[in-house]
Amino acid sequence: MNVEAPLALATTHPDRPGLEIRVNFGVFAGRGATPAEIDDLARDLIPAVGEVSIVAEERHELSGESEASLSQVRIEVEAERLPESPGEREALIQQLVAASERWAEACIADRHAEVSEL
């Protein structure tokens, strides 16, 4: 059976994750995150939440007056993976943000591209 996946899909009401963390990776690293680096990040986050979705994306924002391109990493955690208690939820969020920052800092220290290199 030959099933072809569509090239483009439209979604009008996407399900929202319970938590989304955005890492401005490219601004500081001067490059996008590698698949191996994403795997490292997942290994750091999974013990805290059990399951996580990580999207490494190159984002372009364009208008008639300006253009911007950035590489970011988006971490999504479904709502059912978050504690119900506001205090526990905030503690977990702080833990995940801190882990994400440590991961990004380690990646940047390991391999940083200067803007002039791009």
Side-chain angles (χ1 to χ4, degrees):
M1 177 185 230
N2 185 7
V3 178
E4 291 187 34
L7 186 58
L9 294 171
T11 305
T12 55
H13 299 287
D15 293 328
R16 292 301 209 173
L19 172 66
E20 181 179 273
I21 299 169
R22 294 183 182 200
V23 180
N24 291 320
F25 192 86
V27 171
F28 298 98
R31 62 179 180 82
T34 68
E37 290 169 333
I38 297 299
D39 289 345
D40 290 342
L41 176 59
R43 279 191 288 279
D44 290 347
L45 300 178
I46 287 173
V49 292
E51 185 177 311
V52 64
S53 175
I54 302 173
V55 178
E57 61 188 358
E58 185 174 330
R59 198 174 164 93
H60 299 267
E61 295 184 10
L62 311 156
S63 72
E65 295 80 38
S66 65
E67 292 182 20
S69 176
L70 63 106
S71 295
Q72 74 178 11
V73 173
R74 211 167 10 102
I75 301 157
E76 299 175 349
V77 179
E78 295 301 322
E80 61 268 8
R81 301 240 169 234
L82 301 174
E84 289 186 28
S85 158
E88 289 177 14
R89 180 181 293 235
E90 185 57 36
L92 177 62
I93 290 169
Q94 289 178 8
Q95 176 187 350
L96 296 174
V97 168
S100 300
E101 288 175 342
R102 283 191 305 273
W103 165 80
E105 289 167 354
C107 293
I108 293 163
D110 187 49
R111 201 175 116 229
H112 177 85
E114 295 297 330
V115 174
S116 62
E117 295 175 17
L118 299 177

